[in-house]
């Protein structure tokens, strides 16, 4: 068994777990015009930016020249999660603590700056820290170094599904005998180079009104909005957590599965349904046990249709409440899944399902019970968190409440 | 032309972070080992690269891996500068 004992959130609509959760329940979003550079002519202008984060207030100055913004956010979220779980790393054995993070973008902004130097001034001007600051494993590495965590550690890359894969692998790592694993995901790619890649992906909303830009499962859905940030979790073996006097347990990571879609044009359905069924089986629960689904919610008709079909196939028509808070933050890539897990455990704690912000008129063809408008009171013991990534990644995590 | 301890201090901070006014960097650091100051081998590679750009001299790699203190590094740089004239 692997339990969540600490969480750290850095999201466009809230720095810290409770500010984020208050924003979610109030329907307060963090999407707005991207202000870090001029997006005129790029075809899209909205993003979920983290506006009020000053890295120097949170991190030693020695770490700043060697870190991309995504790594700075990851380091701070990890610190907050460890603080939340009241982990004193000095009292634990270094090899008994691991780090597993998901990452989709690497250090885009850092690399953009260094490539600029390479192009305009020459290779001798490129920072030696570029050697790792760009790298998918950098968040795992920096967290490991900062907190002296030498246990089994890794990084998972599966586009926007990778954050859930990290949590799934962290659970496996705990089961294999590492008592404590810091896990989750944080991404950021809102510099001009990162933006070019987002736009090239072809899924961005061209809307200019933040409230109408990202409308998952809506009849008028035309795209989504990228954001930055994510969440880190402390995952522990329950016995080990109890032995060190853990202050609280948020819930259990009870099941996990990942599948791939068939090749485009094959005519076969998405692998998401299989991911859901395998994760439920892994958790030892049936569809009837699931109290809420946090959907991937792409906000693109074809993908919304596929996800609604997968949910209907498993749960029946409107068989389970479905929601997505992503329209408040934008899509956080590897950060999205872990942030949805945090949202799920907070929903459990407070017995409430936050609504899908933005979406007004769900397309009638999607036979799902989409929670809209006000938050819905609900007793939640089992939640299903879904994420999909470009190129066919499907991941699913089952979160279950734990008797305190 | 020669490099002073204050110039090296500035380069260290620019390359690898830190605060010029912080106690561990502000005082007489010439004989304090880089490791104790918190600058690792990668920080020194970055520093050598900046020295090469700012002062036009290359610190040979085999000497860079052996250098322990700011005074030693300044000695190598100024030795090269003197030889380069």
């Amino acid at each position: 068994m692997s339990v969540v004992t600490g969480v750290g959130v850095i999201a466009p609509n809230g720095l810290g777990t409770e500010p984020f959760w208050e924003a979610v329940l109030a329907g307060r979003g963090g999407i707005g015009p991207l202000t870090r550079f001029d997006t005129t002519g790029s075809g899209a202008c909205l993003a979920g930016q983290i506006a009020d984060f000053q890295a120097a207030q949170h991190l030693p100055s020695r770490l700043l020249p060697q870190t991309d913004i995504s790594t700075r956010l990851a380091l701070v979220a990890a610190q907050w999660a460890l603080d939340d779980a009241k982990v004193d790393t000095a009292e634990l054995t270094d090899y008994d603590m691991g780090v597993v993070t998901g990452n989709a973008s690497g250090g885009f902004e850092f690399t953009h700056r260094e490539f600029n130097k390479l192009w305009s001034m020459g290779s001798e001007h490129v920072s030696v820290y570029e050697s790792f600051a760009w790298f998918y494993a950098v968040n795992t590495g920096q967290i490991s170094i900062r907190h002296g965590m030498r246990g089994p550690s890794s990084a998972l890359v599966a586009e926007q599904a990778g954050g859930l894969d990290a949590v799934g692998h962290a659970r496996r790592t705990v089961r294999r005998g590492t008592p404590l694993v810091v896990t989750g995901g944080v991404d950021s790619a809102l510099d001009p180079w990162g933006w070019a890649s987002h736009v090239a992906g072809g899924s961005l909303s061209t809307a200019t009104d933040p409230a109408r830009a990202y409308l998952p499962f809506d009849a008028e859905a035309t795209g989504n909005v990228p954001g930055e940030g994510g969440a880190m979790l402390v995952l522990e073996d329950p016995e080990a957590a109890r032995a060190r006097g853990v202050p609280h347990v948020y819930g259990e990571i009870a099941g996990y599965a990942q599948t791939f879609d068939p090749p485009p044009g094959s005519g076969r359905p998405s692998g998401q349904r299989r991911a859901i069924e395998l994760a439920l089986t892994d958790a030892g629960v049936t569809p009837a046990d699931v109290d809420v689904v946090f959907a991937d919610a792409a906000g693109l008709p074809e993908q919304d249709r596929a996800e609604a079909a997968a949910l209907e196939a498993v749960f029946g028509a409107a068989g389970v409440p479905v929601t997505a808070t992503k329209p408040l933050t934008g899509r956080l890539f590897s950060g999205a899944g872990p942030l949805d897990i945090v949202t799920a455990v907070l929903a459990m704690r407070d017995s409430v399902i936050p609504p899908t912000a933005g979406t007004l008129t769900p397309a009638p063809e999607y036979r799902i019970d989409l929670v809209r408008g006000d938050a819905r009171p609900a007793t939640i013991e089992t939640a299903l968190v879904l994420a999909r990534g470009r190129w066919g990644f499907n991941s699913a995590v089952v979160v279950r409440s734990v008797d305190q | 032309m020669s490099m002073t301890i204050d110039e090296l201090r500035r380069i260290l901070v620019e390359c690898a972070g830190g605060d010029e006014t912080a106690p561990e960097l502000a005082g007489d650091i010439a004989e304090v080992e880089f490791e104790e100051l918190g600058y690792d081998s990668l920080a020194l590679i970055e520093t050598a690269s900046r020295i090469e750009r700012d002062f036009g001299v290359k610190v040979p790699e085999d000497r860079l891996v052996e250098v322990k203190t700011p005074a030693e590094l300044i000695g190598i740089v100024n030795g090269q500068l003197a030889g380069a004239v």
Side-chain angles (χ1 to χ4, degrees):
Chain A
M1 195 181 188
S2 306
V3 291
V4 178
T5 56
V7 298
V9 170
I10 293 196
N13 61 341
L15 294 189
T17 305
E18 297 308 329
F20 163 74
W21 182 232
E22 283 166 26
V24 165
L25 292 179
R28 201 162 55 240
I31 289 174
L34 182 54
T35 55
R36 293 194 189 144
F37 61 96
D38 184 5
T39 59
T40 307
S42 73
C45 65
L46 297 176
Q49 281 182 118
I50 293 174
D52 45 0
F53 177 78
Q54 301 292 333
Q57 289 177 0
H58 303 282
L59 295 170
S61 61
R62 297 289 169 88
L63 278 172
L64 300 182
Q66 55 176 288
T67 44
D68 178 73
I69 179 173
S70 58
T71 303
R72 295 172 180 182
L73 296 172
L75 281 165
V76 174
Q79 177 75 63
W80 289 349
L82 289 164
D83 292 347
D84 185 34
K86 298 278 189 294
V87 174
D88 180 357
T89 52
E91 289 200 338
L92 301 171
T93 304
D94 50 0
Y95 287 99
D96 284 347
M97 299 179 284
V99 186
V100 180
T101 66
N103 194 294
S105 321
F108 249 102
E109 188 177 88
F110 195 104
T111 296
H112 179 221
R113 193 170 61 237
E114 297 308 318
F115 275 26
N116 227 335
K117 291 184 200 164
L118 177 66
W119 172 251
S120 60
M121 296 188 285
S123 60
E124 68 276 17
H125 288 263
V126 175
S127 166
V128 66
Y129 295 115
E130 173 62 14
S131 59
F132 59 74
W134 74 270
F135 183 39
Y136 296 120
V138 67
N139 294 350
T140 288
Q142 290 283 18
I143 292 166
S144 158
I145 292 165
R146 187 165 191 224
H147 297 289
M149 299 175 161
R150 295 165 182 256
S153 296
S154 50
L156 287 97
V157 183
E159 224 264 335
Q160 302 191 44
L164 288 188
D165 295 335
V167 176
H169 186 66
R171 169 174 172 257
R172 193 179 293 137
T173 305
V174 170
R175 284 201 304 211
R176 284 173 178 167
T178 301
L180 185 151
V181 179
V182 173
T183 187
V186 170
D187 264 301
S188 173
L190 299 179
D191 65 293
W193 191 39
W195 191 248
S197 72
H198 287 311
V199 171
S203 66
L204 297 201
S205 166
T206 55
T208 54
D209 175 4
R212 301 296 301 157
Y214 181 10
L215 313 169
F217 304 109
D218 197 295
E220 292 176 25
T222 57
N224 53 51
V225 175
E228 64 184 345
M232 298 299 296
L233 320 172
V234 176
L235 208 61
E236 291 188 79
D237 171 76
E239 298 298 320
R242 258 194 294 279
R244 69 167 187 84
V246 62
H248 45 215
V249 172
Y250 286 97
E252 177 199 0
I253 303 300
Y256 160 71
Q258 190 213 46
T259 63
F260 291 107
D261 284 341
S266 73
R268 282 149 52 203
S270 151
Q272 193 181 26
R273 174 183 177 175
R274 250 178 345 110
I276 295 169
E277 290 170 341
L278 290 168
L280 295 180
T281 302
D282 186 34
V285 299
T286 67
D289 295 322
V290 176
D291 300 304
V292 62
V293 175
F294 291 85
D296 176 68
L300 291 155
E302 191 180 334
Q303 291 182 40
D304 284 352
R305 188 175 302 123
E307 184 161 46
L311 292 171
E312 186 183 348
V314 176
F315 296 98
V320 64
V322 176
T323 193
T325 59
K326 289 187 180 80
L328 298 173
T329 60
R331 293 182 72 80
L332 304 185
F333 289 73
S334 292
L339 186 61
D340 279 349
I341 289 176
V342 174
T343 308
V345 297
L346 296 173
M348 263 174 206
R349 184 190 71 184
D350 294 350
S351 299
V352 64
I353 302 174
T356 304
T359 302
L360 293 176
T361 318
E365 61 169 308
Y366 310 151
R367 288 179 291 274
I368 56 172
D369 173 16
L370 192 68
V371 179
R372 287 177 299 116
D374 295 327
R376 185 188 295 183
T379 301
I380 303 167
E381 288 181 356
T382 304
L384 175 67
V385 179
L386 304 177
R388 290 176 296 180
R390 185 181 291 271
W391 305 299
F393 296 103
N394 303 287
S395 297
V397 162
V398 177
V399 186
R400 194 159 51 197
S401 63
V402 171
D403 291 334
Q404 300 290 324
Chain B
M1 186 171 151
S2 65
M3 187 170 77
T4 67
I5 185 74
D6 284 332
E7 283 165 329
L8 178 58
R9 203 189 323 261
R10 170 185 61 80
I11 288 174
L12 282 171
V13 169
E14 282 177 16
C15 290
D19 182 346
E20 282 180 73
T21 62
E24 77 270 19
L25 266 191
D28 183 6
I29 59 165
E31 304 295 342
V32 184
E33 295 200 359
F34 283 113
E35 201 178 311
E36 203 176 315
L37 292 168
Y39 292 98
D40 58 14
S41 58
L42 213 52
L44 285 186
I45 294 171
E46 182 77 356
T47 298
S49 161
R50 186 69 63 94
I51 289 170
E52 187 174 350
R53 272 147 49 193
D54 289 2
F55 291 86
V57 300
K58 190 169 178 60
V59 180
E61 262 178 47
D62 54 340
R63 300 193 68 184
L64 187 65
V65 296
E66 285 172 3
V67 75
K68 291 270 187 287
T69 64
E72 284 176 43
L73 182 55
I74 289 171
I76 295 169
V77 172
N78 287 340
Q80 299 250 12
L81 284 167
V85 172

